[in-house]
Amino acid sequence: MEDSRKILENYFGYDEFREGQEAIIENILQGRDSIGIMPTGAGKSICYQVPAMMLKGVTVVISPLISLMKDQVQSLIQADIPSAFINSSLSAEGYDDVFRRAKSGDFKILYVAPERLSAPDWQKLTETLEISMVTVDEAHCISQWGQDFRPSYTDIPDFINGLEERPVVSAFTATATARVRDDIERQLALENPFTMLTGFDRPNLYYEVRKPKNKLSELMKLLSSRKDRSGIIYCSTRKNVEEVCEALIGSGYDATRYHAGLSDRERRANQEDFQYDRKSVMVATNAFGMGIDKSDVGFVIHYNMPKNPESYYQEAGRAGRDGSPADCILLYSGQDVRTNQFLIEKSLESNPDLSPAVRASLMKKDMELLARMTFYATTTDCLRGYILKYFGEKAEIYCGNCGSCNTEFEEVDVTIESQKIISCIVRMANWDQTYGRAYGKNMIADVLRGSSAEKVLQAGFDRLSTYGIMEDVPKKRIIEIIDCLNRKGFIRITEDKYPVVGLTPKYKEIIGGETSLTIKLPKIEERKEVIPAHKKAEEGPTSTELFGRLKILRRELADAAGVPAFVIFSDATLRDMCRILPRNEEEFLEVSGVGTAKLERYGKAFIAAIAEPIA
Ligand code: ADP
Ligand code: ZN
């Protein structure tokens, strides 16, 4: 497809399509609905922006992120692509102006917030527009099974159906389990869509989970070996952000903070400090990240466990976007589970748009996702494998680049122990005539170890034949085996506030000796300190002096144009300039990310800066 490549070159300044882009564009141009499921940073925007330039009329892009919309439109305008956005941040005059210009066919791309779709003036406007494509960004928001359900997204099908002629529909998301994918297809009523699923694996990211007694001192330890890189520390609450940030500053780190409780001004200033490397550590809640484009983040440490694997993978995925090795480390404690349960309950209760039935089903789903996240934090299997399987991809048993694959494990046969544990569960359940009573893991382990704790004796469990039959096994190991039995489906642990252990029909296979059970258990207690990812594969020297100067120039130009710096050029583009060292316009056009519009706007200034002798 010759023409789409030309658009990519002229407007966006890239020579080659990335994986998946060309196929989606081709299908869209042939009028086929398309779904793109690609990880963050893969380049989803190009997939609809390029065909938008080639189709007649206008493409309507529905996006939930108001702040990102503005950046996108600014970037497009910088590349001479006529576009605008319609959302609640527009003034009355701005609104009128966009509507007037849209009517006269000025735009190729029009971003719209989902809440606007049902507004009468928008519906009237659409009657006068020639809409060739509707693009749904962050398409998982339409699914109640997604991590980010937005009720306003359910207006999209009506909007599309209400159009005089059905446009081609394209949908994009970074995270979608099979269930969410089906939902997107069904709810948007896509017609035999072309689906592009590019790999989710990010091989340059190292994953690890730690369960430290003291999170703060563990964090300090991690940071002290990563002083030369910038990174993000995610906390679950504003209070944690404040405490951690203060502690880091007290220990001499140049840390800054970000959460929804700060003023707009401070948030913007702190984000910029981080973006421009004036501060190297960002301590933040999950409010931080949407729309940041810092590609050289060397580590993302989660001080608390997020509420689901989608959030974790998205947040951790902000590390190493430039492809260099980076670390994603989760500091886990049991308290994190309870905090998340509380936060989920609170957020659902405070949402007035939900009917009780919807609320109950969302609650069930959120708790399920939390359990899946907790599995990640507690598994001894390959962490990368766990994530990939969660998103429906195949994975090797060992990836060789995660905390589980790094530690030494031994395969232990625990069939006998499992039989003891299960018969103890059976006996406890049938004690005192109330058949089927269930208890927590700790209680079960206590009985097996012959504990003389009051609650054990009071229940009379010291009279069970299984009392004390595992007295020489550490409690931790008993619990590890119980967790393993749960993962393999022989028993079931509930997901409420006080989880209890129940039996599944499969338990008989263990008791009857039909199945033997082995689990992988860590050989050593203390883990060796991991070497920071970037030290393992030292990157080549970059011209830091020139890179720094170009960054300053970029900032001046951005300030003058009133746009964020990455709208002018991305870090990757500046780095490519340092590599190519263009001396004239022709060579400047070779830089990745430089198209004709940007050449005209900024070519001279950057060529001059590159020609300057090193100070
Ligand atoms: P996503 O929405 O998938 O997270 P973006 O659309 O924001 O990703 O793209 C991420 C970055 O990759 C942007 O800086 C974009 O300009 C760049 N990019 C996209 N496509 C290409 C390409 N074909 N060649 C080089 N860079 C690209
Ligand atoms: Zn692994």
Side-chain angles (χ1 to χ4, degrees), residues 8 14 16-18 21 39-46 321 592:
L8 183 74
Y14 301 130
E16 295 288 340
F17 281 113
R18 287 194 185 151
Q21 288 178 332
T40 308
K44 288 182 283 296
S45 325
I46 294 278
R321 280 171 71 162
S592 172

Side-chain angles (χ1 to χ4, degrees), residues 390-460:
Y390 180 82
F391 289 114
E393 284 192 27
K394 288 198 183 64
E396 301 285 326
I397 301 180
Y398 299 109
C399 75
N401 188 28
C402 80
S404 295
C405 297
N406 273 4
T407 313
E408 279 191 80
F409 282 91
E410 51 188 349
E411 198 74 33
V412 187
D413 187 320
V414 291
T415 312
I416 307 266
E417 283 92 336
S418 303
Q419 288 170 345
K420 290 179 179 169
I421 290 170
I422 287 185
S423 38
C424 187
I425 296 171
V426 173
R427 285 183 170 74
M428 285 169 74
N430 297 335
W431 190 238
D432 80 356
Q433 260 71 55
T434 38
Y435 293 106
R437 268 196 77 168
Y439 298 89
K441 289 191 276 196
N442 278 302
M443 181 74 151
I444 294 164
D446 283 343
V447 173
L448 283 160
R449 285 175 44 74
S451 152
S452 49
E454 195 168 334
K455 56 179 184 177
V456 174
L457 301 181
Q458 222 163 39

Side-chain angles (χ1 to χ4, degrees), residues 198-481:
T198 63
F200 268 76
D201 190 19
R202 302 271 308 276
N204 61 314
L205 301 185
Y206 168 83
Y207 300 102
E208 188 180 332
V209 179
R210 295 188 180 197
K211 305 173 183 75
K213 286 214 176 64
N214 182 328
K215 286 191 179 184
L216 196 56
S217 65
E218 190 74 17
L219 179 65
M220 297 283 184
K221 213 160 77 187
L222 287 167
L223 290 182
S224 69
S225 55
R226 286 168 181 77
K227 283 194 168 131
D228 48 345
R229 301 219 73 183
S230 66
I232 306 171
I233 296 161
Y234 278 112
C235 303
S236 59
T237 62
R238 297 174 191 182
K239 187 166 151 272
N240 280 351
V241 169
E242 297 293 339
E243 284 170 9
V244 170
C245 187
E246 204 166 297
L248 293 184
I249 292 170
S251 304
Y253 288 98
D254 51 349
T256 184
R257 59 186 182 163
Y258 191 104
H259 60 67
L262 302 173
S263 69
D264 275 358
R265 229 178 94 217
E266 181 176 354
R267 274 209 309 262
R268 219 172 307 130
N270 293 355
Q271 167 160 351
E272 211 192 83
D273 280 348
F274 179 64
Q275 186 101 350
Y276 289 105
D277 297 324
R278 292 189 289 263
K279 294 283 161 68
S280 68
V281 178
M282 171 59 89
V283 188
T285 60
N286 61 6
F288 179 72
M290 286 292 195
I292 67 151
D293 193 30
K294 189 169 170 56
S295 54
D296 59 352
V297 173
F299 58 87
V300 171
I301 298 173
H302 278 77
Y303 196 75
N304 301 107
M305 180 180 75
K307 67 180 195 297
N308 56 49
E310 282 87 349
S311 307
Y312 181 69
Y313 200 51
Q314 191 168 54
E315 286 158 20
R318 297 194 173 115
R321 280 171 71 162
D322 55 5
S324 44
D327 297 319
C328 307
I329 298 172
L330 166 62
L331 302 182
Y332 169 80
S333 77
Q335 179 60 38
D336 290 335
V337 182
R338 291 184 286 278
T339 307
N340 276 307
Q341 282 168 341
F342 172 76
L343 292 174
I344 289 169
E345 280 162 15
K346 205 176 77 176
S347 88
L348 288 174
E349 272 157 21
S350 63
N351 188 340
D353 295 340
L354 302 175
S355 69
V358 170
R359 184 171 301 153
S361 89
L362 286 177
M363 176 85 76
K364 183 159 174 276
K365 181 221 54 170
D366 282 352
M367 292 300 175
E368 218 174 288
L369 296 182
L370 175 59
R372 301 290 296 271
M373 184 67 226
T374 311
F375 269 173
Y376 173 87
T378 52
T379 184
T380 49
D381 292 341
C382 173
L383 296 173
R384 184 184 313 278
Y386 184 87
I387 292 173
L388 292 178
K389 280 182 228 146
Y390 180 82
F391 289 114
E393 284 192 27
K394 288 198 183 64
E396 301 285 326
I397 301 180
Y398 299 109
C399 75
N401 188 28
C402 80
S404 295
C405 297
N406 273 4
T407 313
E408 279 191 80
F409 282 91
E410 51 188 349
E411 198 74 33
V412 187
D413 187 320
V414 291
T415 312
I416 307 266
E417 283 92 336
S418 303
Q419 288 170 345
K420 290 179 179 169
I421 290 170
I422 287 185
S423 38
C424 187
I425 296 171
V426 173
R427 285 183 170 74
M428 285 169 74
N430 297 335
W431 190 238
D432 80 356
Q433 260 71 55
T434 38
Y435 293 106
R437 268 196 77 168
Y439 298 89
K441 289 191 276 196
N442 278 302
M443 181 74 151
I444 294 164
D446 283 343
V447 173
L448 283 160
R449 285 175 44 74
S451 152
S452 49
E454 195 168 334
K455 56 179 184 177
V456 174
L457 301 181
Q458 222 163 39
F461 287 146
D462 54 334
R463 282 177 280 147
L464 290 178
S465 59
T466 50
Y467 179 76
I469 52 171
M470 291 179 83
E471 93 197 317
D472 50 351
V473 184
K475 186 163 174 181
K476 188 159 164 263
R477 177 141 303 196
I478 297 180
I479 296 215
E480 273 169 342
I481 300 172

Side-chain angles (χ1 to χ4, degrees), residues 51-265:
M53 292 300 285
M54 303 171 71
L55 293 167
K56 282 193 293 179
V58 64
T59 288
V60 170
V61 182
I62 298 156
S63 162
L65 306 170
I66 291 182
S67 63
L68 216 58
M69 244 186 237
K70 191 168 159 204
D71 290 347
Q72 291 259 20
V73 167
Q74 283 175 334
S75 297
L76 289 170
I77 290 172
Q78 289 287 322
D80 280 351
I81 296 175
S83 48
F85 62 85
I86 297 176
N87 64 36
S88 58
S89 76
L90 280 179
S91 66
E93 299 95 80
Y95 203 74
D96 290 346
D97 184 50
V98 170
F99 268 65
R100 192 176 40 73
R101 292 176 56 203
K103 243 182 236 162
S104 48
D106 276 7
F107 303 125
K108 289 305 292 178
I109 302 181
L110 198 51
Y111 285 83
V112 185
E115 297 77 23
R116 297 274 130 187
L117 294 176
S118 49
D121 52 350
W122 164 257
Q123 289 186 339
K124 218 160 126 224
L125 173 67
T126 58
E127 286 165 20
T128 68
L129 296 180
E130 183 180 8
I131 300 176
S132 312
M133 173 160 70
V134 171
T135 293
V136 184
D137 204 7
E138 312 289 347
H140 59 273
C141 293
I142 202 169
S143 169
Q144 291 193 8
W145 285 102
Q147 80 277 25
D148 206 9
F149 172 60
R150 305 217 174 198
S152 57
Y153 260 56
T154 52
D155 292 338
I156 298 175
D158 281 347
F159 160 63
I160 295 174
N161 290 332
L163 296 173
E164 204 161 300
E165 209 169 310
R166 187 183 184 279
V168 63
V169 180
S170 55
F172 297 90
T173 175
T175 57
T177 51
R179 182 144 52 172
V180 173
R181 220 178 296 156
D182 289 346
D183 240 10
I184 292 172
E185 185 173 334
R186 209 166 30 81
Q187 298 217 36
L188 289 176
L190 299 182
E191 294 171 0
N192 177 30
F194 169 74
T195 302
M196 171 54 73
L197 180 78
T198 63
F200 268 76
D201 190 19
R202 302 271 308 276
N204 61 314
L205 301 185
Y206 168 83
Y207 300 102
E208 188 180 332
V209 179
R210 295 188 180 197
K211 305 173 183 75
K213 286 214 176 64
N214 182 328
K215 286 191 179 184
L216 196 56
S217 65
E218 190 74 17
L219 179 65
M220 297 283 184
K221 213 160 77 187
L222 287 167
L223 290 182
S224 69
S225 55
R226 286 168 181 77
K227 283 194 168 131
D228 48 345
R229 301 219 73 183
S230 66
I232 306 171
I233 296 161
Y234 278 112
C235 303
S236 59
T237 62
R238 297 174 191 182
K239 187 166 151 272
N240 280 351
V241 169
E242 297 293 339
E243 284 170 9
V244 170
C245 187
E246 204 166 297
L248 293 184
I249 292 170
S251 304
Y253 288 98
D254 51 349
T256 184
R257 59 186 182 163
Y258 191 104
H259 60 67
L262 302 173
S263 69
D264 275 358
R265 229 178 94 217

